[in-house]
Amino acid sequence: MEQLPGRPGNLTPEEDEKLRKFWEMFLQVCGVLGDDNTATETDAASEAPSRTGTEKPKKSRMSLFKKKKDKEKGNGSGTSTPTKVSGMDSIKENDPEDKWGENKAYLETLATHSPEQIRATIWSMVKHDHPDALLLRFLRARKWDLQRALVMLMSTMNWRCSEAHVDDEIMANGEEFAAINEKSGDGKTKKLAEDFLAQLRMGKSYCYGIDNAGRPICIVRARLHRAGEQSEEGLERFTVYLIETTRFMLSPPVDTACVLFDLTGFSLANMDYTPVKFMIKCFEANYPESLGVVLVHKAPWVFQGIWKIVKGWLDPVVASKVHFTNTLKDLEEFIAKERIPTDLEGTSGYTYEYKEPVPGENAKMKDLETKEKLLQERETLYEEYEGKTIEWMNETDATKRAALHAERDTTAKKLREQYWRLDPYLRSRSYYDRIGVIKPDGTVDYYPAKIAPSGTNGTAAALAAGETAADDVD
């Protein structure tokens, strides 16, 4: 499968230059690069006269050395001042064209987060992806406008860590923690756990297989939703959990998903605008360039008026990805019949059945010593990638620059492989880990050979998670 335009390995010279400049801005806001857009080895060096155009700028090792010196001075405590990024002074909080309040979030992030915090959070967003792929999502979403792309990236970072708590709560706690709180929690904690598990068990939304373009399919069964049955927070947490989990089912070069809204049996009792708005915000503001196609299947006539309202909320680019289907033949234009679930009249023989968490499947998350070693190992790779990126940014010779780009790709591969050793120490196991869709090494089996009776796959997953293995840490 060919790489799509605007992705790593398939950039025009102009796009490549935009990516280089975007990395420069990102490293500036993270405090890795100074105000002069160059790295400095010591504080004395930073006060030296400006370099002439014939001198080469300092490169990676000096920048990272400076960052470490800043931490030793106490600047890594969350109180250091964000580095000024050129071209960002024009960002205004109350921009009438700022649909999701990203400008305000950007300015708040700079005011409340240190460069070290910003850097750590954005790097944590990369997970198993190529770092370039993450930044390119934001560039494409903002039509290669560097300032708007940085605002969006920072706004997303702020949402993940300060509002949604994606990694430290939703993904870290996951299904097993919810199962515990469902039984022993109280008040709001118990209610959130019940709401979360109820949606998983009924299969209100679930992933199964891939479409004709190789995109993982997320099926939303609208008839199973009733307004008020779950709290707004419970609905939002479930939505984020499913989107994040689906990310692990993206196999490059595929980097988008297919969302299928099954409106079979839909009535006005199933309509709830609040979670719809949240879902739209997720894809437009916080998970850019993640939607490949949206299929609305068997929409009844009452949906016509609803669609007029919802379409008005959508960005035109997102709206253009929506297709209406009414029959199995219509669906087959996007998904092979043998890959369509039984309840959608397909011949796959698949029917969703939730597999409960198994006690002990997240044993590695308790091994804090190994987790810390793996995080330190990952930090070294981050610094290696940043160093190679600064060299690549500053290199003017095309041949040398291509060689540096290849070295960056090698480090990106190391990051991907290392992430999957770290993953069980950070992320609670999901239904898709238990049934064998997401493998421990990050490979994806969209159609596991056999979905065993409840308990069998869960036990296997628990054993796979198990105790820390010797090869987890190099």
Side-chain angles (χ1 to χ4, degrees):
M1 187 178 296
E2 292 184 5
Q3 184 66 277
L4 293 171
R7 273 72 170 179
N10 193 16
L11 301 176
T12 66
E14 294 78 13
E15 291 168 348
D16 190 68
E17 180 63 15
K18 289 281 189 179
L19 177 62
R20 186 196 69 78
K21 290 182 178 178
F22 197 34
W23 268 108
E24 183 176 297
M25 295 169 75
F26 166 64
L27 294 175
Q28 275 186 315
V29 83
C30 292
V32 177
L33 287 177
D35 293 338
D36 60 353
N37 295 347
T38 58
T40 52
E41 183 169 8
T42 65
D43 292 337
S46 67
E47 295 170 2
S50 300
R51 292 185 287 268
T52 65
T54 59
E55 293 179 296
K56 281 199 170 187
K58 303 286 185 182
K59 294 184 181 174
S60 60
R61 190 178 304 109
M62 298 108 180
S63 169
L64 301 175
F65 180 66
K66 175 181 180 292
K67 179 162 65 67
K68 289 177 181 176
K69 283 178 67 68
D70 287 345
K71 287 182 180 179
E72 291 167 4
K73 291 181 179 181
N75 289 342
S77 63
T79 59
S80 51
T81 304
T83 303
K84 183 178 179 181
V85 180
S86 58
M88 299 301 290
D89 293 337
S90 61
I91 302 300
K92 304 299 180 186
E93 181 175 323
N94 298 314
D95 184 343
E97 296 185 4
D98 184 13
K99 180 178 180 180
W100 300 112
E102 293 174 353
N103 287 3
K104 180 180 179 181
Y106 167 79
L107 295 170
E108 286 181 353
T109 302
L110 290 180
T112 58
H113 293 75
S114 71
E116 294 79 18
Q117 289 173 324
I118 293 170
R119 174 181 176 273
T121 305
I122 293 179
W123 268 116
S124 72
M125 289 165 54
V126 172
K127 300 185 187 296
H128 62 304
D129 284 345
H130 192 303
D132 279 356
L134 179 69
L135 266 62
L136 285 167
R137 284 185 183 276
F138 291 89
L139 281 170
R140 295 196 308 274
R142 291 298 174 256
K143 298 178 173 58
W144 303 92
D145 183 309
L146 292 167
Q147 286 72 30
R148 293 180 65 219
L150 183 62
V151 166
M152 187 185 196
L153 175 64
M154 295 278 284
S155 174
T156 295
M157 182 228 95
N158 185 64
W159 172 80
R160 290 181 69 92
C161 71
S162 301
E163 295 181 35
H165 295 280
V166 175
D167 294 313
D168 60 325
E169 291 186 12
I170 294 177
M171 302 308 293
N173 294 339
E175 299 169 28
E176 186 183 21
F177 191 74
I180 294 170
N181 283 333
E182 180 187 40
K183 295 177 181 177
S184 59
D186 53 28
K188 180 182 177 182
T189 299
K190 183 178 179 67
K191 171 64 173 169
L192 284 174
E194 291 172 342
D195 290 350
F196 181 69
L197 290 171
Q199 294 174 91
L200 281 166
R201 287 168 179 154
M202 75 173 74
K204 181 187 289 185
S205 301
Y206 68 90
C207 294
Y208 174 69
I210 54 176
D211 68 6
N212 295 338
R215 296 173 292 223
I217 303 167
C218 178
I219 299 172
V220 182
R221 299 192 284 189
R223 66 182 178 277
L224 298 181
H225 178 75
R226 292 287 189 279
E229 280 191 346
Q230 287 91 35
S231 67
E232 184 176 337
E233 185 177 355
L235 291 167
E236 291 181 358
R237 281 175 171 257
F238 175 72
T239 299
V240 172
Y241 182 76
L242 191 60
I243 294 174
E244 281 288 319
T245 303
T246 305
R247 279 187 66 191
F248 295 114
M249 301 180 206
L250 298 174
S251 299
V254 174
D255 60 359
T256 60
C258 166
V259 178
L260 194 166
F261 287 93
D262 176 14
L263 299 190
T264 305
F266 175 88
S267 71
L268 289 177
N270 306 120
M271 189 57 211
D272 193 350
Y273 287 109
T274 300
V276 171
K277 283 184 177 180
F278 179 76
M279 193 179 300
I280 292 171
K281 181 179 180 181
C282 280
F283 285 115
E284 289 192 1
N286 299 315
Y287 294 94
E289 296 289 300
S290 295
L291 275 179
V293 65
V294 177
L295 306 177
V296 181
H297 188 58
K298 290 194 173 180
W301 69 269
V302 295
F303 189 74
Q304 294 177 13
I306 294 170
W307 172 240
K308 287 181 181 179
I309 295 172
V310 172
K311 187 177 181 180
W313 297 337
L314 296 175
D315 179 277
V317 174
V318 175
S320 69
K321 298 178 180 180
V322 178
H323 301 267
F324 287 82
T325 59
N326 290 304
T327 66
L328 177 61
K329 186 176 180 181
D330 292 340
L331 269 185
E332 286 184 83
E333 293 183 24
F334 302 93
I335 309 167
K337 182 168 63 175
E338 62 272 16
R339 292 180 170 180
I340 297 174
T342 301
D343 62 354
L344 287 169
E345 303 177 64
T347 60
S348 69
Y350 176 79
T351 299
Y352 178 84
E353 179 190 356
Y354 183 63
K355 309 296 181 184
E356 296 287 336
V358 174
E361 67 182 11
N362 296 305
K364 287 185 178 181
M365 297 186 74
K366 298 177 182 178
D367 184 354
L368 301 182
E369 182 180 355
T370 302
K371 174 184 174 181
E372 184 57 34
K373 289 179 181 178
L374 287 167
L375 287 172
Q376 291 175 2
E377 179 183 300
R378 193 159 184 82
E379 172 62 27
T380 300
L381 289 173
Y382 291 156
E383 293 187 1
E384 179 180 317
Y385 193 87
E386 289 171 341
K388 293 298 179 183
T389 296
I390 293 169
E391 291 186 65
W392 167 69
M393 283 162 38
N394 292 331
E395 184 57 65
T396 57
D397 181 85
T399 302
K400 293 179 180 178
R401 191 167 176 177
L404 287 167
H405 204 300
E407 290 179 24
R408 292 172 73 246
D409 287 341
T410 298
T411 304
K413 184 179 179 181
K414 291 180 188 176
L415 278 165
R416 180 182 177 88
E417 293 170 349
Q418 197 272 348
Y419 173 79
W420 288 108
R421 286 191 286 114
L422 174 63
D423 178 70
Y425 298 87
L426 298 178
R427 179 179 67 90
S428 179
R429 299 302 86 186
S430 72
Y431 162 74
Y432 301 96
D433 295 279
R434 287 192 289 281
I435 66 171
V437 173
I438 302 173
K439 303 293 186 183
D441 64 354
T443 55
V444 182
D445 183 355
Y446 297 107
Y447 306 96
K450 181 180 179 182
I451 298 179
S454 184
T456 305
N457 283 331
T459 302
L463 292 172
E467 300 299 328
T468 300
D471 58 356
D472 280 343
V473 182
D474 287 341

